Amino acid sequence: MPKIALTRERLLYLSQFGKAYLETLKQNRPKLYQQLRAAGELNVHLAAIDRRASATFQEIVAQLSKNLPADDEERAQALMGISSQARELVMSEILVREEETERAEERGFYL
């Protein structure tokens, strides 16, 4: 019987995007989650998702906030709305497309 060596990975700080993806991975793709964890690749995978999602969020907010009103109050309200919309877009991208998951599968980790 083969021995399975589980590696202990360091704790990783994840933004709201990385945390949401981790929960999605655990719930919807538990076999892949376990394989990544057992191979010591989980943190690398999560960090890549988190970096991409955070960068996308920042890009969306920057693009949409270029022409905001000069009035501080109006600007603040518009920025809150933009941030909310950007967050929703990024979350749906993470949870629906799961590009990094596909890349993990390409590296030999399967469902």
Side-chain angles (χ1 to χ4, degrees):
M1 176 179 250
K3 293 184 179 181
I4 298 175
L6 293 179
T7 61
R8 290 192 64 128
E9 294 186 84
R10 290 181 162 196
L11 290 178
L12 176 68
Y13 171 78
L14 296 173
S15 71
Q16 62 185 334
F17 306 118
K19 290 174 185 176
Y21 178 75
L22 175 59
E23 288 307 310
T24 299
L25 191 62
K26 284 179 180 179
Q27 292 174 7
N28 299 336
R29 303 184 89 165
K31 197 169 186 181
L32 177 59
Y33 168 77
Q34 288 299 329
Q35 289 174 339
L36 287 167
R37 190 169 171 218
E41 298 264 336
L42 182 61
N43 279 350
V44 172
H45 181 73
L46 293 173
I49 293 275
D50 199 56
R51 269 193 310 276
R52 182 177 301 124
S54 294
T56 301
F57 174 78
Q58 290 173 356
E59 287 173 25
I60 292 170
V61 170
Q63 289 282 336
L64 296 176
S65 62
K66 282 183 180 177
N67 298 319
L68 289 180
D71 180 8
D72 287 342
E73 188 174 323
E74 287 180 28
R75 184 176 180 81
Q77 287 179 339
L79 200 53
M80 285 176 31
I82 288 170
S83 293
S84 178
Q85 289 175 344
R87 190 174 300 108
E88 287 180 37
L89 285 169
V90 172
M91 287 293 210
S92 67
E93 179 78 14
I94 291 171
L95 302 179
V96 174
R97 292 188 55 190
E98 299 182 18
E99 290 178 19
E100 277 299 315
T101 300
E102 293 168 12
R103 288 187 184 151
E105 290 172 343
E106 289 171 4
R107 292 192 333 249
F109 299 100
Y110 300 100
L111 290 176

